[in-house]
Amino acid sequence: MPVLRWGAKGLGRLAAIVFLDLDNFKWVNDTRGHPAGDNLLTMSAARIAVCLRANDTVARLGGDEIVILLPDPPQEIDRMIVVERVRNSVAAPVEIGGCTFSVTTSPGVARFPLDGRSREELLAKADAAMYQSKTGRNTFSFADPDA
């Protein structure tokens, strides 16, 4: 089975990509200003990082788009536990500038090699799964391997 390489470290034989953004983030920026939005992103990223293993990676793509790389996840249930932990951590209330916010996230998950064999394909499928999750808000979806 081919190994997908993600930079110098490589992923190993199995991996999952989690694509998420913060639900209603635009509302925070529009009503409280960009500094409040930046603080919310910083706090959310810190909360996400605490939920991950040492060999997992979290990165901001732009805006409020965040990608988590889970190399060598042992089982499907473990991926679901990590995603639930991230969702619950991000959803905890946060105080910014004297206002308390609760934001949710609706992640999409794509698995290597089941859902794709390239970075681009996995990111696209995880992004599509995220948009599927957003129809219900505060939930998550796995990519459709046949899409």
mmCIF file with all atom_site columns, all heavy atoms in Angstrom, residues 21-27 64 84 87 103-107 129-141:
data_model
loop_
_atom_site.group_PDB
_atom_site.id
_atom_site.type_symbol
_atom_site.label_atom_id
_atom_site.label_alt_id
_atom_site.label_comp_id
_atom_site.label_asym_id
_atom_site.label_entity_id
_atom_site.label_seq_id
_atom_site.pdbx_PDB_ins_code
_atom_site.Cartn_x
_atom_site.Cartn_y
_atom_site.Cartn_z
_atom_site.occupancy
_atom_site.B_iso_or_equiv
_atom_site.pdbx_formal_charge
_atom_site.auth_seq_id
_atom_site.auth_comp_id
_atom_site.auth_asym_id
_atom_site.auth_atom_id
_atom_site.pdbx_PDB_model_num
ATOM 1   N N   . ASP A 1 21  ? -14.282 24.473 10.912 1.00 0.00 ? 21  ASP A N   1
ATOM 2   C CA  . ASP A 1 21  ? -14.267 25.906 11.166 1.00 0.00 ? 21  ASP A CA  1
ATOM 3   C C   . ASP A 1 21  ? -15.231 26.170 12.304 1.00 0.00 ? 21  ASP A C   1
ATOM 4   O O   . ASP A 1 21  ? -15.941 25.276 12.752 1.00 0.00 ? 21  ASP A O   1
ATOM 5   C CB  . ASP A 1 21  ? -14.545 26.749 9.912  1.00 0.00 ? 21  ASP A CB  1
ATOM 6   C CG  . ASP A 1 21  ? -15.939 26.582 9.352  1.00 0.00 ? 21  ASP A CG  1
ATOM 7   O OD1 . ASP A 1 21  ? -16.826 26.000 10.030 1.00 0.00 ? 21  ASP A OD1 1
ATOM 8   O OD2 . ASP A 1 21  ? -16.180 27.037 8.226  1.00 0.00 ? 21  ASP A OD2 1
ATOM 9   N N   . LEU A 1 22  ? -15.203 27.388 12.808 1.00 0.00 ? 22  LEU A N   1
ATOM 10  C CA  . LEU A 1 22  ? -16.047 27.731 13.947 1.00 0.00 ? 22  LEU A CA  1
ATOM 11  C C   . LEU A 1 22  ? -17.405 28.198 13.442 1.00 0.00 ? 22  LEU A C   1
ATOM 12  O O   . LEU A 1 22  ? -17.482 29.124 12.626 1.00 0.00 ? 22  LEU A O   1
ATOM 13  C CB  . LEU A 1 22  ? -15.382 28.825 14.787 1.00 0.00 ? 22  LEU A CB  1
ATOM 14  C CG  . LEU A 1 22  ? -13.985 28.491 15.313 1.00 0.00 ? 22  LEU A CG  1
ATOM 15  C CD1 . LEU A 1 22  ? -13.420 29.667 16.086 1.00 0.00 ? 22  LEU A CD1 1
ATOM 16  C CD2 . LEU A 1 22  ? -13.999 27.234 16.153 1.00 0.00 ? 22  LEU A CD2 1
ATOM 17  N N   . ASP A 1 23  ? -18.465 27.547 13.906 1.00 0.00 ? 23  ASP A N   1
ATOM 18  C CA  . ASP A 1 23  ? -19.820 27.939 13.520 1.00 0.00 ? 23  ASP A CA  1
ATOM 19  C C   . ASP A 1 23  ? -20.090 29.368 14.000 1.00 0.00 ? 23  ASP A C   1
ATOM 20  O O   . ASP A 1 23  ? -19.773 29.719 15.134 1.00 0.00 ? 23  ASP A O   1
ATOM 21  C CB  . ASP A 1 23  ? -20.856 26.978 14.135 1.00 0.00 ? 23  ASP A CB  1
ATOM 22  C CG  . ASP A 1 23  ? -20.703 25.546 13.645 1.00 0.00 ? 23  ASP A CG  1
ATOM 23  O OD1 . ASP A 1 23  ? -20.189 25.338 12.526 1.00 0.00 ? 23  ASP A OD1 1
ATOM 24  O OD2 . ASP A 1 23  ? -21.117 24.633 14.386 1.00 0.00 ? 23  ASP A OD2 1
ATOM 25  N N   . ASN A 1 24  ? -20.638 30.176 13.136 1.00 0.00 ? 24  ASN A N   1
ATOM 26  C CA  . ASN A 1 24  ? -21.011 31.560 13.440 1.00 0.00 ? 24  ASN A CA  1
ATOM 27  C C   . ASN A 1 24  ? -19.821 32.455 13.787 1.00 0.00 ? 24  ASN A C   1
ATOM 28  O O   . ASN A 1 24  ? -19.976 33.461 14.463 1.00 0.00 ? 24  ASN A O   1
ATOM 29  C CB  . ASN A 1 24  ? -22.063 31.617 14.552 1.00 0.00 ? 24  ASN A CB  1
ATOM 30  C CG  . ASN A 1 24  ? -23.318 30.881 14.163 1.00 0.00 ? 24  ASN A CG  1
ATOM 31  O OD1 . ASN A 1 24  ? -23.813 31.034 13.048 1.00 0.00 ? 24  ASN A OD1 1
ATOM 32  N ND2 . ASN A 1 24  ? -23.821 30.051 15.056 1.00 0.00 ? 24  ASN A ND2 1
ATOM 33  N N   . PHE A 1 25  ? -18.638 32.095 13.311 1.00 0.00 ? 25  PHE A N   1
ATOM 34  C CA  . PHE A 1 25  ? -17.458 32.913 13.569 1.00 0.00 ? 25  PHE A CA  1
ATOM 35  C C   . PHE A 1 25  ? -17.613 34.314 12.975 1.00 0.00 ? 25  PHE A C   1
ATOM 36  O O   . PHE A 1 25  ? -17.200 35.307 13.579 1.00 0.00 ? 25  PHE A O   1
ATOM 37  C CB  . PHE A 1 25  ? -16.208 32.230 12.999 1.00 0.00 ? 25  PHE A CB  1
ATOM 38  C CG  . PHE A 1 25  ? -14.960 33.033 13.176 1.00 0.00 ? 25  PHE A CG  1
ATOM 39  C CD1 . PHE A 1 25  ? -14.362 33.152 14.418 1.00 0.00 ? 25  PHE A CD1 1
ATOM 40  C CD2 . PHE A 1 25  ? -14.383 33.679 12.103 1.00 0.00 ? 25  PHE A CD2 1
ATOM 41  C CE1 . PHE A 1 25  ? -13.206 33.898 14.584 1.00 0.00 ? 25  PHE A CE1 1
ATOM 42  C CE2 . PHE A 1 25  ? -13.228 34.428 12.260 1.00 0.00 ? 25  PHE A CE2 1
ATOM 43  C CZ  . PHE A 1 25  ? -12.647 34.536 13.505 1.00 0.00 ? 25  PHE A CZ  1
ATOM 44  N N   . LYS A 1 26  ? -18.209 34.397 11.804 1.00 0.00 ? 26  LYS A N   1
ATOM 45  C CA  . LYS A 1 26  ? -18.416 35.694 11.151 1.00 0.00 ? 26  LYS A CA  1
ATOM 46  C C   . LYS A 1 26  ? -19.216 36.627 12.060 1.00 0.00 ? 26  LYS A C   1
ATOM 47  O O   . LYS A 1 26  ? -18.937 37.825 12.128 1.00 0.00 ? 26  LYS A O   1
ATOM 48  C CB  . LYS A 1 26  ? -19.123 35.507 9.801  1.00 0.00 ? 26  LYS A CB  1
ATOM 49  C CG  . LYS A 1 26  ? -19.302 36.789 9.027  1.00 0.00 ? 26  LYS A CG  1
ATOM 50  C CD  . LYS A 1 26  ? -19.968 36.516 7.693  1.00 0.00 ? 26  LYS A CD  1
ATOM 51  C CE  . LYS A 1 26  ? -20.247 37.696 6.844  1.00 0.00 ? 26  LYS A CE  1
ATOM 52  N NZ  . LYS A 1 26  ? -20.229 39.002 7.374  1.00 0.00 ? 26  LYS A NZ  1
ATOM 53  N N   . TRP A 1 27  ? -20.173 36.093 12.773 1.00 0.00 ? 27  TRP A N   1
ATOM 54  C CA  . TRP A 1 27  ? -20.980 36.898 13.685 1.00 0.00 ? 27  TRP A CA  1
ATOM 55  C C   . TRP A 1 27  ? -20.101 37.538 14.760 1.00 0.00 ? 27  TRP A C   1
ATOM 56  O O   . TRP A 1 27  ? -20.271 38.716 15.092 1.00 0.00 ? 27  TRP A O   1
ATOM 57  C CB  . TRP A 1 27  ? -22.078 36.047 14.329 1.00 0.00 ? 27  TRP A CB  1
ATOM 58  C CG  . TRP A 1 27  ? -22.903 36.812 15.304 1.00 0.00 ? 27  TRP A CG  1
ATOM 59  C CD1 . TRP A 1 27  ? -23.999 37.579 15.043 1.00 0.00 ? 27  TRP A CD1 1
ATOM 60  C CD2 . TRP A 1 27  ? -22.690 36.899 16.723 1.00 0.00 ? 27  TRP A CD2 1
ATOM 61  N NE1 . TRP A 1 27  ? -24.476 38.138 16.202 1.00 0.00 ? 27  TRP A NE1 1
ATOM 62  C CE2 . TRP A 1 27  ? -23.688 37.742 17.247 1.00 0.00 ? 27  TRP A CE2 1
ATOM 63  C CE3 . TRP A 1 27  ? -21.756 36.351 17.584 1.00 0.00 ? 27  TRP A CE3 1
ATOM 64  C CZ2 . TRP A 1 27  ? -23.775 38.040 18.605 1.00 0.00 ? 27  TRP A CZ2 1
ATOM 65  C CZ3 . TRP A 1 27  ? -21.833 36.655 18.940 1.00 0.00 ? 27  TRP A CZ3 1
ATOM 66  C CH2 . TRP A 1 27  ? -22.846 37.495 19.437 1.00 0.00 ? 27  TRP A CH2 1
ATOM 67  N N   . ASP A 1 64  ? -11.140 31.116 9.653  1.00 0.00 ? 64  ASP A N   1
ATOM 68  C CA  . ASP A 1 64  ? -11.375 30.243 10.802 1.00 0.00 ? 64  ASP A CA  1
ATOM 69  C C   . ASP A 1 64  ? -11.304 28.775 10.397 1.00 0.00 ? 64  ASP A C   1
ATOM 70  O O   . ASP A 1 64  ? -11.798 27.914 11.107 1.00 0.00 ? 64  ASP A O   1
ATOM 71  C CB  . ASP A 1 64  ? -12.711 30.569 11.458 1.00 0.00 ? 64  ASP A CB  1
ATOM 72  C CG  . ASP A 1 64  ? -13.901 30.263 10.575 1.00 0.00 ? 64  ASP A CG  1
ATOM 73  O OD1 . ASP A 1 64  ? -13.782 30.371 9.338  1.00 0.00 ? 64  ASP A OD1 1
ATOM 74  O OD2 . ASP A 1 64  ? -14.970 29.903 11.106 1.00 0.00 ? 64  ASP A OD2 1
ATOM 75  N N   . GLU A 1 84  ? -14.945 14.195 18.960 1.00 0.00 ? 84  GLU A N   1
ATOM 76  C CA  . GLU A 1 84  ? -15.898 14.604 20.007 1.00 0.00 ? 84  GLU A CA  1
ATOM 77  C C   . GLU A 1 84  ? -15.201 15.434 21.084 1.00 0.00 ? 84  GLU A C   1
ATOM 78  O O   . GLU A 1 84  ? -15.744 16.424 21.561 1.00 0.00 ? 84  GLU A O   1
ATOM 79  C CB  . GLU A 1 84  ? -16.557 13.373 20.643 1.00 0.00 ? 84  GLU A CB  1
ATOM 80  C CG  . GLU A 1 84  ? -17.685 12.808 19.814 1.00 0.00 ? 84  GLU A CG  1
ATOM 81  C CD  . GLU A 1 84  ? -18.820 13.800 19.640 1.00 0.00 ? 84  GLU A CD  1
ATOM 82  O OE1 . GLU A 1 84  ? -19.329 14.354 20.627 1.00 0.00 ? 84  GLU A OE1 1
ATOM 83  O OE2 . GLU A 1 84  ? -19.201 14.027 18.478 1.00 0.00 ? 84  GLU A OE2 1
ATOM 84  N N   . ARG A 1 87  ? -14.705 18.885 19.630 1.00 0.00 ? 87  ARG A N   1
ATOM 85  C CA  . ARG A 1 87  ? -15.984 19.618 19.578 1.00 0.00 ? 87  ARG A CA  1
ATOM 86  C C   . ARG A 1 87  ? -16.395 20.118 20.956 1.00 0.00 ? 87  ARG A C   1
ATOM 87  O O   . ARG A 1 87  ? -16.793 21.274 21.120 1.00 0.00 ? 87  ARG A O   1
ATOM 88  C CB  . ARG A 1 87  ? -17.090 18.731 18.995 1.00 0.00 ? 87  ARG A CB  1
ATOM 89  C CG  . ARG A 1 87  ? -16.991 18.543 17.510 1.00 0.00 ? 87  ARG A CG  1
ATOM 90  C CD  . ARG A 1 87  ? -18.112 17.689 16.917 1.00 0.00 ? 87  ARG A CD  1
ATOM 91  N NE  . ARG A 1 87  ? -19.411 18.139 17.369 1.00 0.00 ? 87  ARG A NE  1
ATOM 92  C CZ  . ARG A 1 87  ? -20.244 17.404 18.123 1.00 0.00 ? 87  ARG A CZ  1
ATOM 93  N NH1 . ARG A 1 87  ? -19.938 16.190 18.507 1.00 0.00 ? 87  ARG A NH1 1
ATOM 94  N NH2 . ARG A 1 87  ? -21.415 17.889 18.472 1.00 0.00 ? 87  ARG A NH2 1
ATOM 95  N N   . VAL A 1 103 ? -19.157 28.886 21.054 1.00 0.00 ? 103 VAL A N   1
ATOM 96  C CA  . VAL A 1 103 ? -19.177 28.572 19.636 1.00 0.00 ? 103 VAL A CA  1
ATOM 97  C C   . VAL A 1 103 ? -19.087 27.060 19.474 1.00 0.00 ? 103 VAL A C   1
ATOM 98  O O   . VAL A 1 103 ? -18.547 26.367 20.331 1.00 0.00 ? 103 VAL A O   1
ATOM 99  C CB  . VAL A 1 103 ? -18.036 29.259 18.851 1.00 0.00 ? 103 VAL A CB  1
ATOM 100 C CG1 . VAL A 1 103 ? -18.188 30.764 18.865 1.00 0.00 ? 103 VAL A CG1 1
ATOM 101 C CG2 . VAL A 1 103 ? -16.688 28.846 19.374 1.00 0.00 ? 103 VAL A CG2 1
ATOM 102 N N   . THR A 1 104 ? -19.632 26.590 18.402 1.00 0.00 ? 104 THR A N   1
ATOM 103 C CA  . THR A 1 104 ? -19.562 25.175 18.099 1.00 0.00 ? 104 THR A CA  1
ATOM 104 C C   . THR A 1 104 ? -18.760 24.991 16.830 1.00 0.00 ? 104 THR A C   1
ATOM 105 O O   . THR A 1 104 ? -18.390 25.956 16.164 1.00 0.00 ? 104 THR A O   1
ATOM 106 C CB  . THR A 1 104 ? -20.977 24.588 17.924 1.00 0.00 ? 104 THR A CB  1
ATOM 107 O OG1 . THR A 1 104 ? -21.653 25.299 16.884 1.00 0.00 ? 104 THR A OG1 1
ATOM 108 C CG2 . THR A 1 104 ? -21.773 24.674 19.218 1.00 0.00 ? 104 THR A CG2 1
ATOM 109 N N   . THR A 1 105 ? -18.495 23.760 16.509 1.00 0.00 ? 105 THR A N   1
ATOM 110 C CA  . THR A 1 105 ? -17.808 23.426 15.268 1.00 0.00 ? 105 THR A CA  1
ATOM 111 C C   . THR A 1 105 ? -18.449 22.174 14.691 1.00 0.00 ? 105 THR A C   1
ATOM 112 O O   . THR A 1 105 ? -19.035 21.379 15.429 1.00 0.00 ? 105 THR A O   1
ATOM 113 C CB  . THR A 1 105 ? -16.296 23.250 15.504 1.00 0.00 ? 105 THR A CB  1
ATOM 114 O OG1 . THR A 1 105 ? -15.656 23.094 14.249 1.00 0.00 ? 105 THR A OG1 1
ATOM 115 C CG2 . THR A 1 105 ? -15.989 22.094 16.415 1.00 0.00 ? 105 THR A CG2 1
ATOM 116 N N   . SER A 1 106 ? -18.363 22.038 13.399 1.00 0.00 ? 106 SER A N   1
ATOM 117 C CA  . SER A 1 106 ? -18.978 20.908 12.689 1.00 0.00 ? 106 SER A CA  1
ATOM 118 C C   . SER A 1 106 ? -17.926 20.260 11.787 1.00 0.00 ? 106 SER A C   1
ATOM 119 O O   . SER A 1 106 ? -17.899 20.501 10.583 1.00 0.00 ? 106 SER A O   1
ATOM 120 C CB  . SER A 1 106 ? -20.168 21.397 11.871 1.00 0.00 ? 106 SER A CB  1
ATOM 121 O OG  . SER A 1 106 ? -21.099 22.065 12.687 1.00 0.00 ? 106 SER A OG  1
ATOM 122 N N   . PRO A 1 107 ? -17.042 19.456 12.368 1.00 0.00 ? 107 PRO A N   1
ATOM 123 C CA  . PRO A 1 107 ? -15.924 18.909 11.595 1.00 0.00 ? 107 PRO A CA  1
ATOM 124 C C   . PRO A 1 107 ? -16.340 17.888 10.542 1.00 0.00 ? 107 PRO A C   1
ATOM 125 O O   . PRO A 1 107 ? -17.352 17.205 10.677 1.00 0.00 ? 107 PRO A O   1
ATOM 126 C CB  . PRO A 1 107 ? -15.050 18.229 12.654 1.00 0.00 ? 107 PRO A CB  1
ATOM 127 C CG  . PRO A 1 107 ? -15.554 18.672 13.962 1.00 0.00 ? 107 PRO A CG  1
ATOM 128 C CD  . PRO A 1 107 ? -16.966 19.090 13.774 1.00 0.00 ? 107 PRO A CD  1
ATOM 129 N N   . ALA A 1 129 ? -17.224 16.959 3.758  1.00 0.00 ? 129 ALA A N   1
ATOM 130 C CA  . ALA A 1 129 ? -17.866 16.340 4.924  1.00 0.00 ? 129 ALA A CA  1
ATOM 131 C C   . ALA A 1 129 ? -18.206 17.395 5.969  1.00 0.00 ? 129 ALA A C   1
ATOM 132 O O   . ALA A 1 129 ? -19.252 17.327 6.623  1.00 0.00 ? 129 ALA A O   1
ATOM 133 C CB  . ALA A 1 129 ? -16.947 15.267 5.514  1.00 0.00 ? 129 ALA A CB  1
ATOM 134 N N   . MET A 1 130 ? -17.331 18.402 6.127  1.00 0.00 ? 130 MET A N   1
ATOM 135 C CA  . MET A 1 130 ? -17.618 19.486 7.069  1.00 0.00 ? 130 MET A CA  1
ATOM 136 C C   . MET A 1 130 ? -18.879 20.236 6.654  1.00 0.00 ? 130 MET A C   1
ATOM 137 O O   . MET A 1 130 ? -19.739 20.527 7.487  1.00 0.00 ? 130 MET A O   1
ATOM 138 C CB  . MET A 1 130 ? -16.448 20.461 7.151  1.00 0.00 ? 130 MET A CB  1
ATOM 139 C CG  . MET A 1 130 ? -16.706 21.621 8.105  1.00 0.00 ? 130 MET A CG  1
ATOM 140 S SD  . MET A 1 130 ? -15.558 22.993 7.923  1.00 0.00 ? 130 MET A SD  1
ATOM 141 C CE  . MET A 1 130 ? -16.004 23.657 6.345  1.00 0.00 ? 130 MET A CE  1
ATOM 142 N N   . TYR A 1 131 ? -19.003 20.539 5.369  1.00 0.00 ? 131 TYR A N   1
ATOM 143 C CA  . TYR A 1 131 ? -20.199 21.247 4.914  1.00 0.00 ? 131 TYR A CA  1
ATOM 144 C C   . TYR A 1 131 ? -21.451 20.407 5.101  1.00 0.00 ? 131 TYR A C   1
ATOM 145 O O   . TYR A 1 131 ? -22.521 20.939 5.391  1.00 0.00 ? 131 TYR A O   1
ATOM 146 C CB  . TYR A 1 131 ? -20.034 21.732 3.472  1.00 0.00 ? 131 TYR A CB  1
ATOM 147 C CG  . TYR A 1 131 ? -19.285 23.038 3.452  1.00 0.00 ? 131 TYR A CG  1
ATOM 148 C CD1 . TYR A 1 131 ? -17.930 23.084 3.173  1.00 0.00 ? 131 TYR A CD1 1
ATOM 149 C CD2 . TYR A 1 131 ? -19.922 24.221 3.798  1.00 0.00 ? 131 TYR A CD2 1
ATOM 150 C CE1 . TYR A 1 131 ? -17.223 24.271 3.208  1.00 0.00 ? 131 TYR A CE1 1
ATOM 151 C CE2 . TYR A 1 131 ? -19.226 25.419 3.840  1.00 0.00 ? 131 TYR A CE2 1
ATOM 152 C CZ  . TYR A 1 131 ? -17.885 25.433 3.535  1.00 0.00 ? 131 TYR A CZ  1
ATOM 153 O OH  . TYR A 1 131 ? -17.196 26.610 3.597  1.00 0.00 ? 131 TYR A OH  1
ATOM 154 N N   . GLN A 1 132 ? -21.327 19.098 4.988  1.00 0.00 ? 132 GLN A N   1
ATOM 155 C CA  . GLN A 1 132 ? -22.454 18.215 5.281  1.00 0.00 ? 132 GLN A CA  1
ATOM 156 C C   . GLN A 1 132 ? -22.827 18.323 6.762  1.00 0.00 ? 132 GLN A C   1
ATOM 157 O O   . GLN A 1 132 ? -23.995 18.390 7.112  1.00 0.00 ? 132 GLN A O   1
ATOM 158 C CB  . GLN A 1 132 ? -22.098 16.779 4.926  1.00 0.00 ? 132 GLN A CB  1
ATOM 159 C CG  . GLN A 1 132 ? -23.199 15.792 5.223  1.00 0.00 ? 132 GLN A CG  1
ATOM 160 C CD  . GLN A 1 132 ? -22.765 14.362 4.916  1.00 0.00 ? 132 GLN A CD  1
ATOM 161 O OE1 . GLN A 1 132 ? -21.805 14.114 4.198  1.00 0.00 ? 132 GLN A OE1 1
ATOM 162 N NE2 . GLN A 1 132 ? -23.487 13.421 5.478  1.00 0.00 ? 132 GLN A NE2 1
ATOM 163 N N   . SER A 1 133 ? -21.827 18.387 7.634  1.00 0.00 ? 133 SER A N   1
ATOM 164 C CA  . SER A 1 133 ? -22.065 18.516 9.076  1.00 0.00 ? 133 SER A CA  1
ATOM 165 C C   . SER A 1 133 ? -22.753 19.825 9.415  1.00 0.00 ? 133 SER A C   1
ATOM 166 O O   . SER A 1 133 ? -23.569 19.895 10.326 1.00 0.00 ? 133 SER A O   1
ATOM 167 C CB  . SER A 1 133 ? -20.742 18.454 9.852  1.00 0.00 ? 133 SER A CB  1
ATOM 168 O OG  . SER A 1 133 ? -20.118 17.233 9.680  1.00 0.00 ? 133 SER A OG  1
ATOM 169 N N   . LYS A 1 134 ? -22.416 20.884 8.693  1.00 0.00 ? 134 LYS A N   1
ATOM 170 C CA  . LYS A 1 134 ? -22.955 22.213 8.995  1.00 0.00 ? 134 LYS A CA  1
ATOM 171 C C   . LYS A 1 134 ? -24.457 22.294 8.780  1.00 0.00 ? 134 LYS A C   1
ATOM 172 O O   . LYS A 1 134 ? -25.099 23.196 9.320  1.00 0.00 ? 134 LYS A O   1
ATOM 173 C CB  . LYS A 1 134 ? -22.237 23.274 8.174  1.00 0.00 ? 134 LYS A CB  1
ATOM 174 C CG  . LYS A 1 134 ? -20.856 23.547 8.717  1.00 0.00 ? 134 LYS A CG  1
ATOM 175 C CD  . LYS A 1 134 ? -20.330 24.838 8.176  1.00 0.00 ? 134 LYS A CD  1
ATOM 176 C CE  . LYS A 1 134 ? -19.156 25.293 8.959  1.00 0.00 ? 134 LYS A CE  1
ATOM 177 N NZ  . LYS A 1 134 ? -19.451 25.784 10.281 1.00 0.00 ? 134 LYS A NZ  1
ATOM 178 N N   . THR A 1 135 ? -25.049 21.380 8.033  1.00 0.00 ? 135 THR A N   1
ATOM 179 C CA  . THR A 1 135 ? -26.501 21.415 7.855  1.00 0.00 ? 135 THR A CA  1
ATOM 180 C C   . THR A 1 135 ? -27.215 21.171 9.180  1.00 0.00 ? 135 THR A C   1
ATOM 181 O O   . THR A 1 135 ? -28.311 21.649 9.390  1.00 0.00 ? 135 THR A O   1
ATOM 182 C CB  . THR A 1 135 ? -26.969 20.398 6.794  1.00 0.00 ? 135 THR A CB  1
ATOM 183 O OG1 . THR A 1 135 ? -26.617 19.085 7.224  1.00 0.00 ? 135 THR A OG1 1
ATOM 184 C CG2 . THR A 1 135 ? -26.369 20.695 5.442  1.00 0.00 ? 135 THR A CG2 1
ATOM 185 N N   . GLY A 1 136 ? -26.571 20.430 10.090 1.00 0.00 ? 136 GLY A N   1
ATOM 186 C CA  . GLY A 1 136 ? -27.161 20.172 11.397 1.00 0.00 ? 136 GLY A CA  1
ATOM 187 C C   . GLY A 1 136 ? -26.487 20.949 12.508 1.00 0.00 ? 136 GLY A C   1
ATOM 188 O O   . GLY A 1 136 ? -27.008 21.035 13.592 1.00 0.00 ? 136 GLY A O   1
ATOM 189 N N   . ARG A 1 137 ? -25.338 21.513 12.258 1.00 0.00 ? 137 ARG A N   1
ATOM 190 C CA  . ARG A 1 137 ? -24.528 22.262 13.225 1.00 0.00 ? 137 ARG A CA  1
ATOM 191 C C   . ARG A 1 137 ? -24.177 21.406 14.433 1.00 0.00 ? 137 ARG A C   1
ATOM 192 O O   . ARG A 1 137 ? -24.934 20.578 14.899 1.00 0.00 ? 137 ARG A O   1
ATOM 193 C CB  . ARG A 1 137 ? -25.233 23.534 13.710 1.00 0.00 ? 137 ARG A CB  1
ATOM 194 C CG  . ARG A 1 137 ? -25.499 24.522 12.620 1.00 0.00 ? 137 ARG A CG  1
ATOM 195 C CD  . ARG A 1 137 ? -24.400 25.524 12.527 1.00 0.00 ? 137 ARG A CD  1
ATOM 196 N NE  . ARG A 1 137 ? -24.778 26.521 11.516 1.00 0.00 ? 137 ARG A NE  1
ATOM 197 C CZ  . ARG A 1 137 ? -23.907 27.235 10.888 1.00 0.00 ? 137 ARG A CZ  1
ATOM 198 N NH1 . ARG A 1 137 ? -22.638 27.103 11.142 1.00 0.00 ? 137 ARG A NH1 1
ATOM 199 N NH2 . ARG A 1 137 ? -24.290 28.096 9.993  1.00 0.00 ? 137 ARG A NH2 1
ATOM 200 N N   . ASN A 1 138 ? -22.969 21.632 14.916 1.00 0.00 ? 138 ASN A N   1
ATOM 201 C CA  . ASN A 1 138 ? -22.467 20.989 16.114 1.00 0.00 ? 138 ASN A CA  1
ATOM 202 C C   . ASN A 1 138 ? -22.534 19.461 16.043 1.00 0.00 ? 138 ASN A C   1
ATOM 203 O O   . ASN A 1 138 ? -22.924 18.797 16.985 1.00 0.00 ? 138 ASN A O   1
ATOM 204 C CB  . ASN A 1 138 ? -23.180 21.508 17.364 1.00 0.00 ? 138 ASN A CB  1
ATOM 205 C CG  . ASN A 1 138 ? -22.396 21.192 18.629 1.00 0.00 ? 138 ASN A CG  1
ATOM 206 O OD1 . ASN A 1 138 ? -21.186 21.045 18.606 1.00 0.00 ? 138 ASN A OD1 1
ATOM 207 N ND2 . ASN A 1 138 ? -23.103 21.068 19.736 1.00 0.00 ? 138 ASN A ND2 1
ATOM 208 N N   . THR A 1 139 ? -22.151 18.934 14.896 1.00 0.00 ? 139 THR A N   1
ATOM 209 C CA  . THR A 1 139 ? -22.055 17.499 14.694 1.00 0.00 ? 139 THR A CA  1
ATOM 210 C C   . THR A 1 139 ? -20.842 17.247 13.816 1.00 0.00 ? 139 THR A C   1
ATOM 211 O O   . THR A 1 139 ? -20.136 18.182 13.473 1.00 0.00 ? 139 THR A O   1
ATOM 212 C CB  . THR A 1 139 ? -23.347 16.941 14.061 1.00 0.00 ? 139 THR A CB  1
ATOM 213 O OG1 . THR A 1 139 ? -23.267 15.527 14.011 1.00 0.00 ? 139 THR A OG1 1
ATOM 214 C CG2 . THR A 1 139 ? -23.582 17.506 12.678 1.00 0.00 ? 139 THR A CG2 1
ATOM 215 N N   . PHE A 1 140 ? -20.566 16.015 13.468 1.00 0.00 ? 140 PHE A N   1
ATOM 216 C CA  . PHE A 1 140 ? -19.478 15.757 12.529 1.00 0.00 ? 140 PHE A CA  1
ATOM 217 C C   . PHE A 1 140 ? -19.887 14.676 11.550 1.00 0.00 ? 140 PHE A C   1
ATOM 218 O O   . PHE A 1 140 ? -20.797 13.901 11.805 1.00 0.00 ? 140 PHE A O   1
ATOM 219 C CB  . PHE A 1 140 ? -18.162 15.409 13.239 1.00 0.00 ? 140 PHE A CB  1
ATOM 220 C CG  . PHE A 1 140 ? -18.145 14.073 13.923 1.00 0.00 ? 140 PHE A CG  1
ATOM 221 C CD1 . PHE A 1 140 ? -17.680 12.947 13.258 1.00 0.00 ? 140 PHE A CD1 1
ATOM 222 C CD2 . PHE A 1 140 ? -18.550 13.944 15.236 1.00 0.00 ? 140 PHE A CD2 1
ATOM 223 C CE1 . PHE A 1 140 ? -17.647 11.725 13.885 1.00 0.00 ? 140 PHE A CE1 1
ATOM 224 C CE2 . PHE A 1 140 ? -18.524 12.722 15.884 1.00 0.00 ? 140 PHE A CE2 1
ATOM 225 C CZ  . PHE A 1 140 ? -18.071 11.599 15.196 1.00 0.00 ? 140 PHE A CZ  1
ATOM 226 N N   . SER A 1 141 ? -19.199 14.661 10.403 1.00 0.00 ? 141 SER A N   1
ATOM 227 C CA  . SER A 1 141 ? -19.483 13.695 9.344  1.00 0.00 ? 141 SER A CA  1
ATOM 228 C C   . SER A 1 141 ? -18.192 13.123 8.811  1.00 0.00 ? 141 SER A C   1
ATOM 229 O O   . SER A 1 141 ? -17.169 13.811 8.777  1.00 0.00 ? 141 SER A O   1
ATOM 230 C CB  . SER A 1 141 ? -20.217 14.371 8.184  1.00 0.00 ? 141 SER A CB  1
ATOM 231 O OG  . SER A 1 141 ? -21.454 14.877 8.596  1.00 0.00 ? 141 SER A OG  1
#
